[in-house]
């Protein structure tokens, strides 16, 4: 099953607007989308699915690499996100479908999709159901490419360690919340990763998808970008019984202890899979 918090808040205009503004102002989603699109091998593609496509950052990257005659389906469960995408990304090669990722096989023809790309969102889904549905829509040899945040996958790029010059913004947020609100932060690293590669590989095999390649990558950004990301309502911290206004006040105080240009690094586990070329 998908995590309980997977879709809560995403289908709200405030979140959608903040997410779209972040995507426009900062490079994270654009950079990761282009990386995944390159790995999907879109040169000869005719039909591509942008899974959990949000406001269209990944669809934009796919359209830039796919042939002129290719068609892209951007599928997402949050109508609020897609309303912005329809307004800001108009391309006759792009269709918007409001539906859960687990139902991708209801909206794309079986065995005819050249690639499925999912940026930053596979954790929000029931991966067993999504992998099986992706396999059904992919043509033999078609690729399913996605990434998983390092914290979810339990991986860390070396740059994340060597590039750190002080406490993370998340750590500072917890410290401010504890000081001002009596908040008790969760024990650091006390939980096992939610989506380790071993678990992902097991689900891929069960779905009939072959693991082609994995790579732990590093996304380099700044503290200012991290603050903007944590200002999006669904990402705001800390967890618990706080209003969004309280979280933003905590974020403001935590950010004041940093330098806007201080470097930050986020790790990603990038996974390339493929439907076997042989017929079942």
């Amino acid at each position: 099953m998908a995590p309980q918090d997977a879709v809560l808040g995403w289908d709200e205009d405030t979140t959608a607007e903040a997410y779209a503004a972040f995507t426009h102002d900062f490079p994270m989603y654009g950079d990761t989308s282009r990386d995944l699109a390159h790995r999907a091998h879109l040169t000869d593609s005719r039909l591509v699915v942008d899974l959990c496509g949000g406001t269209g950052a990944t669809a934009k990257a796919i359209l830039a690499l796919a042939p002129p005659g290719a068609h892209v389906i951007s599928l997402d469960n949050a109508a609020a996100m897609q309303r912005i995408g329809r307004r800001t990304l108009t391309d006759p090669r792009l269709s918007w479908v409001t539906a859960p990722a687990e139902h991708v096989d209801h909206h794309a023809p079986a065995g005819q999709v050249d690639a499925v790309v999912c940026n930053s969102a596979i954790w929000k889904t029931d991966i067993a159901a999504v992998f099986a549905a992706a396999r059904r829509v992919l043509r033999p040899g078609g690729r399913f490419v996605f990434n998983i945040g390092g914290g979810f996958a339990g991986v860390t790029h070396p740059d994340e360690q060597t590039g750190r010059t002080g406490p993370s913004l998340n750590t500072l947020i917890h410290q401010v919340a504890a000081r001002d609100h009596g908040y008790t932060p969760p024990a650091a690293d006390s939980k096992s990763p939610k989506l380790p590669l071993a678990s992902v590989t097991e689900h891929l095999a069960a779905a009939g998808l072959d693991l082609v390649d994995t790579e732990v990558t590093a996304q380099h950004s700044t503290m200012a970008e991290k603050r903007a990301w944590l200002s999006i309502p669904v990402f705001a911290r800390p967890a618990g019984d706080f209003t969004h206004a309280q979280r933003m006040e905590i974020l403001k105080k935590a950010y004041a202890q940093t330098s806007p240009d201080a470097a930050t690094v986020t790790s990603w586990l990038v996974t390339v899979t493929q439907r076997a070329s042989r017929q079942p």
Side-chain angles (χ1 to χ4, degrees):
M1 295 179 62
Q4 287 292 320
D5 60 348
V7 297
L8 296 178
W10 284 101
D11 198 16
E12 295 180 1
D13 290 337
T14 51
T15 287
E17 294 287 354
Y19 177 92
F22 176 87
T23 302
H24 178 270
D25 294 340
F26 295 97
M28 185 184 82
Y29 285 111
D31 288 348
T32 51
S33 292
R34 283 187 290 273
D35 176 56
L36 295 178
H38 277 289
R39 295 173 192 261
H41 291 182
L42 302 177
T43 304
D44 298 319
S45 60
R46 294 172 296 174
L47 180 60
V48 183
V49 173
D50 170 23
L51 199 64
C52 304
T55 58
T58 304
K60 182 178 180 180
I62 292 170
L63 289 165
L65 289 177
H71 189 79
V72 177
I73 299 171
S74 185
L75 184 144
D76 196 282
N77 204 29
M81 301 285 278
Q82 291 198 330
R83 281 195 293 271
I84 294 176
R86 292 173 187 270
R87 187 174 72 232
T88 59
L89 184 58
T90 57
D91 190 305
R93 297 179 295 160
L94 176 62
S95 297
W96 301 88
V97 175
T98 306
E102 294 82 359
H103 294 173
V104 63
D105 56 336
H106 299 182
H107 303 280
Q112 296 185 40
V113 173
D114 297 288
V116 177
V117 181
C118 183
N119 187 6
S120 312
I122 201 70
W123 69 272
K124 296 192 299 178
T125 72
D126 178 339
I127 63 169
V130 167
F131 289 175
R135 194 269 181 200
R136 285 192 286 271
V137 301
L138 284 170
R139 63 165 173 78
R143 288 194 162 195
F144 179 25
V145 184
F146 57 91
N147 54 15
I148 306 170
F152 286 106
V155 299
T156 304
H157 191 278
D159 287 1
E160 189 171 345
Q161 298 297 332
T162 59
R164 182 170 294 172
T165 57
S168 69
L169 193 52
N170 275 324
T171 297
L172 293 171
I173 285 170
H174 286 160
Q175 291 174 355
V176 171
R179 182 194 70 202
D180 295 355
H181 299 274
Y183 175 73
T184 302
D189 300 323
S190 62
K191 295 182 179 179
S192 299
K194 294 180 179 180
L195 282 179
L197 181 58
S199 176
V200 171
T201 302
E202 181 179 342
H203 284 294
L204 289 170
L209 291 166
D210 295 338
L211 184 63
V212 175
D213 188 31
T214 64
E215 181 182 358
V216 178
T217 64
Q219 176 68 27
H220 295 260
S221 59
T222 64
M223 201 65 75
E225 181 173 358
K226 187 69 173 179
R227 180 195 186 185
W229 188 76
L230 288 170
S231 297
I232 300 172
V234 291
F235 298 137
R237 302 288 184 270
D241 191 19
F242 292 92
T243 66
H244 185 64
Q246 286 175 321
R247 290 189 175 96
M248 292 302 95
E249 182 61 26
I250 292 168
L251 175 60
K252 179 180 178 181
K253 292 178 179 178
Y255 182 68
Q257 301 178 47
T258 71
S259 170
D261 295 329
T264 66
V265 180
T266 303
S267 300
W268 294 91
L269 175 63
V270 181
T271 305
V272 180
T273 75
Q274 180 175 284
R275 177 179 170 180
S277 295
R278 62 186 181 277
Q279 293 288 349

